[in-house]
Amino acid sequence: MNIVLLGAPGAGKGTQAQRIKDEFGIPQISTGDMLRAAVAAGTPVGLEAKGFMDKGALVPDEVVVAIVAERLQQEDCAKGWMLDGFPRTEAQAVALDETIQKSGLAPIDAVVYLKVSEEVVLDRLSGRRVCPNTECGGTYHVRNMPPKKEGICDKCGTALIHRKDDQPETVKDRLATYEKSTSGLVGRYKDAGLLIEVVSEGDPADVGKVISEELRKKAS
Ligand code: AMP
């Protein structure tokens, strides 16, 4: 299955992506994770992206589109893929369609739109703690989803961090960016008959069950 995850920062994309990845056996392609890895490694892409990311702004379309186009060519995407945090602009959505066509890849099967109120987003991001190990991607919440040992990733034992762009001032800018640049994509994918809309509040396991049922319907 080829899946796109859509939703505001803090909507639960990362959490649900982990479940979908395990259930459908497809790789999670998170542009946020790839960009953070590029920043940590100090690559040219990372150096260009850092300033935008720190401000809560979007990294230029051409940079992100190139990363995704290259990633989709890799062998592990042959049986399906899941994009997490891409596309985030109309131009990226158009570029994704073009990449799929030009490369002879199978089209998008479903776009999972995680719907969430601003109040919930603010609570989630202020309490979110993530594993900085780019190969792990563990994500927790100090109250709703704490790790077994405080401040330590259950999966790989790395000390968890509170992302710089999860601080309140930057979160406001990220939400404004989402409204301005990304929220319009919901209509695009609804019109294309691909949208699965799920309220992403309450227990993540329950939200995961709804997503799984809807995806299975699309797959059959
Ligand atoms: P995320 O982890 O998905 O919240 O992404 C963190 C940051 O990476 C965003 O605030 C942007 O600065 C950048 N980023 C991630 N994905 C994209 C994208 N598709 N287009 C532009 N910038 C992105």
Side-chain angles (χ1 to χ4, degrees), residues 69-88:
E70 194 189 329
R71 181 67 184 86
L72 287 174
Q73 301 299 328
Q74 291 175 15
E75 221 178 296
D76 63 341
C77 293
K79 287 193 185 139
W81 37 263
M82 170 179 36
L83 288 168
D84 161 9
F86 181 95
R88 255 169 151 112

Side-chain angles (χ1 to χ4, degrees), residues 9 13 30-33 35-36 49 52-54 56-61 64 84-89 92 128 163 165 174:
K13 298 190 296 294
S30 158
T31 42
D33 285 350
L35 289 168
R36 278 184 288 278
F52 296 99
M53 295 172 79
D54 284 348
L58 293 181
V59 173
D61 288 333
V64 192
D84 161 9
F86 181 95
R88 255 169 151 112
T89 64
Q92 291 178 17
R128 175 156 80 176
R163 268 168 52 181
D165 62 348
R174 287 167 70 201

Side-chain angles (χ1 to χ4, degrees), residues 52-137:
F52 296 99
M53 295 172 79
D54 284 348
K55 280 190 297 199
L58 293 181
V59 173
D61 288 333
E62 58 278 17
V63 174
V64 192
V65 165
I67 296 179
V68 171
E70 194 189 329
R71 181 67 184 86
L72 287 174
Q73 301 299 328
Q74 291 175 15
E75 221 178 296
D76 63 341
C77 293
K79 287 193 185 139
W81 37 263
M82 170 179 36
L83 288 168
D84 161 9
F86 181 95
R88 255 169 151 112
T89 64
E90 189 70 28
Q92 291 178 17
V94 171
L96 174 60
D97 288 346
E98 283 170 6
T99 301
I100 287 172
Q101 266 180 359
K102 268 195 242 150
S103 318
L105 298 168
I108 301 169
D109 294 300
V111 175
V112 178
Y113 167 43
L114 299 175
K115 213 175 157 181
V116 74
S117 70
E118 186 168 328
E119 197 190 337
V120 170
V121 163
L122 293 174
D123 175 63
R124 280 194 187 153
L125 297 185
S126 62
R128 175 156 80 176
R129 299 293 179 271
V130 297
C131 179
N133 171 1
T134 50
E135 278 164 27
C136 173

